[in-house]
């Protein structure tokens, strides 16, 4: 049986005393990629720079706080409810005192919910149409998700179940000598594909809307364009949620559970926590795709 021996260093590079780990680097690159895409969309849609500038901070803190609280409350509630200070601080209380451990647990479902809350606060502040903001973020989200899953792969975490296939990965860091499905890589590649699909759909719809957009600008050179390439309808937001979390539901079948108690959950209802949490997002996405009335932007 052929397998890939996976044993990369967690450290990407060092600059003097500063150590940059792959996981942190992937997070930064993912957020930077999303930043560049959304900034470009804002420029295309003629939304002024002053309204774009605060968006990154809203997204950054919304994702980080949501992902952290999501892990603590959805996967390890008994521990973190007894140690609430460890939810938000990268510290852990040990017999020797407080120790810096970093943020060892981040949940994508919590990060998605935190992002949605942050965008709602951003819209209240900027008065931009909510669906337009959600759609723009949704177009960029898969590239960030791709980078984060690559970070998980570099950390040898969120691993798949054992496999006899030739493309299995042996995660040496975890003390194993047998192959597992590289579930993180599967997710990363799926999200990268979804990113390019979303961009292609946007480019196509933007091209077909060229005559309508030109006529609008001649008649009313306003701040916002009317539903540019479908943005502002909620369609891209629905597409993003439905595609990402549908794939997430099925890829969980190849993953090991993150917490031991999920094994009992699987025996009782047939799915794990990740799958259960994906269902509401899929339903919301389907509603935005097929049931949501196309709101006219004022």
């Amino acid at each position: 049986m052929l397998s890939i021996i996976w044993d990369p260093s967690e450290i990407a590079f060092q600059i003097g005393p500063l150590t940059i780990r792959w996981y942190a680097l992937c997070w930064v690159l993912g957020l930077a990629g999303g930043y560049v895409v959304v900034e470009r969309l804002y420029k295309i849609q003629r939304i002024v720079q002053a309204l774009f500038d605060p968006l990154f901070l809203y997204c950054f803190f919304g994702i980080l706080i949501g992902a952290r609280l999501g892990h603590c409350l959805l996967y390890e509630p008994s521990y973190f409810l007894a140690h609430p200070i460890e939810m938000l601080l990268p510290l852990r209380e040990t017999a020797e005192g407080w120790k810096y451990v970093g943020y060892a647990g981040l949940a994508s479902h919590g990060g998605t919910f935190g992002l949605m809350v942050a965008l709602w606060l951003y819209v209240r502040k900027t008065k931009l149409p909510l669906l337009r903001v959600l759609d723009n973020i949704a177009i960029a989200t898969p590239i960030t998700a791709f980078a984060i899953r690559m970070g998980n792969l570099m950390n040898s975490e969120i691993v798949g179940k054992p496999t006899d296939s030739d493309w299995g990965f042996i995660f040496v860091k975890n003390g194993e000598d047998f192959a597992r499905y590289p579930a993180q890589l599967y997710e990363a590649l799926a999200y990268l594909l979804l990113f390019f699909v979303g961009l292609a759909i946007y480019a196509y719809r933007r091209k077909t809307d060229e005559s309508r957009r030109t006529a609008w600008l001649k008649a009313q050179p306003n701040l916002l364009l009317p539903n540019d390439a479908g943005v502002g309808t909620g369609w891209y937001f629905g597409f993003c949620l439905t595609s990402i979390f549908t794939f997430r539901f099925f890829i969980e079948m190849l993953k090991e559970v993150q917490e031991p108690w999920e094994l009992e959950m699987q025996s009782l209802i047939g799915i794990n926590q990740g799958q259960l949490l994906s269902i509401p997002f899929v339903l919301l996405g389907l509603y935005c795709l097929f049931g949501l009335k196309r709101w006219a932007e004022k």
Side-chain angles (χ1 to χ4, degrees):
M1 180 185 70
L2 299 175
S3 297
I4 297 173
I5 307 298
W6 188 251
D7 189 24
S9 170
E10 292 184 4
I11 299 174
F13 57 87
Q14 289 183 293
I15 303 177
L18 180 63
T19 298
I20 305 298
R21 297 181 179 273
W22 278 112
Y23 186 70
L25 181 61
C26 287
W27 260 88
V28 171
L29 291 176
L31 291 173
Y35 179 95
V36 170
V37 172
V38 176
E39 183 181 36
R40 176 60 180 165
L41 291 173
Y42 268 47
K43 287 181 178 179
I44 290 173
Q45 297 160 26
R46 299 184 53 187
I47 302 175
V48 296
Q49 184 71 26
L51 295 180
F52 171 76
D53 289 338
L55 180 60
F56 178 80
L57 289 179
Y58 277 89
C59 292
F60 177 81
F61 287 108
I63 293 171
L64 183 61
I65 294 173
R68 181 58 178 167
L69 292 179
H71 173 82
C72 296
L73 299 178
L74 298 174
Y75 287 93
E76 297 184 78
S78 59
Y79 176 84
F80 283 104
L81 288 176
H83 304 81
I85 194 172
E86 295 181 25
M87 289 189 191
L88 296 179
L89 296 180
L91 304 172
R92 174 149 295 198
E93 188 175 11
T94 67
E96 293 78 26
W98 289 95
K99 180 181 179 181
Y100 176 83
V101 295
Y103 290 112
L106 298 171
S108 58
H109 298 90
T112 302
F113 182 76
L115 175 62
M116 292 166 64
V117 172
L119 292 178
W120 175 72
L121 294 174
Y122 167 78
V123 164
R124 288 189 62 187
K125 178 71 173 179
T126 61
K127 308 303 180 184
L128 284 169
L130 175 61
L131 290 181
R132 176 178 286 269
V133 174
L134 290 176
D135 275 347
N136 282 331
I137 292 295
I139 293 172
T141 291
I143 194 65
T144 303
F146 158 75
I148 291 172
R149 279 295 178 256
M150 289 303 297
N152 294 139
L153 179 64
M154 298 304 294
N155 265 5
S156 299
E157 59 190 6
I158 313 181
V159 298
K161 295 179 179 178
T163 177
D164 292 329
S165 63
D166 290 341
W167 54 84
F169 278 40
I170 298 177
F171 294 99
V172 177
K173 176 188 170 184
N174 298 341
E176 299 176 347
D177 59 1
F178 58 91
R180 293 181 178 274
Y181 289 109
Q184 320 96 315
L185 181 60
Y186 295 165
E187 274 196 83
L189 294 177
Y191 298 153
L192 185 62
L193 175 62
L194 290 173
F195 170 69
F196 286 115
V197 169
L199 279 185
I201 293 173
Y202 179 80
Y204 173 78
R205 296 179 73 173
R206 182 168 174 248
K207 182 178 180 181
T208 58
D209 287 347
E210 186 65 37
S211 59
R212 177 179 63 86
R213 190 163 54 252
T214 301
W216 172 268
L217 286 175
K218 288 181 179 179
Q220 185 178 346
N222 204 353
L223 175 67
L224 299 176
L225 302 181
N227 290 342
D228 178 66
V231 171
T233 66
W235 190 91
Y236 292 95
F237 179 61
F239 173 75
C240 178
L241 287 182
T242 302
S243 57
I244 284 181
F245 286 102
T246 296
F247 183 82
R248 174 68 186 272
F249 183 91
F250 288 106
I251 196 65
E252 287 288 326
M253 297 178 182
L254 296 182
K255 288 183 183 178
E256 290 286 11
V257 296
Q258 296 189 49
E259 299 296 332
W261 56 263
E262 290 184 83
L263 294 173
E264 182 178 358
M265 179 181 183
Q266 283 183 321
S267 66
L268 288 175
I269 62 175
I271 57 177
N272 62 28
Q273 182 79 324
Q275 290 173 304
L276 180 64
L277 295 173
S278 295
I279 294 174
F281 289 106
V282 172
L283 294 177
L284 177 59
L286 289 173
Y287 174 71
C288 292
L289 278 173
F290 303 111
L292 182 65
K293 292 182 179 180
R294 302 300 173 90
W295 295 354
E297 295 180 335
K298 297 181 181 181

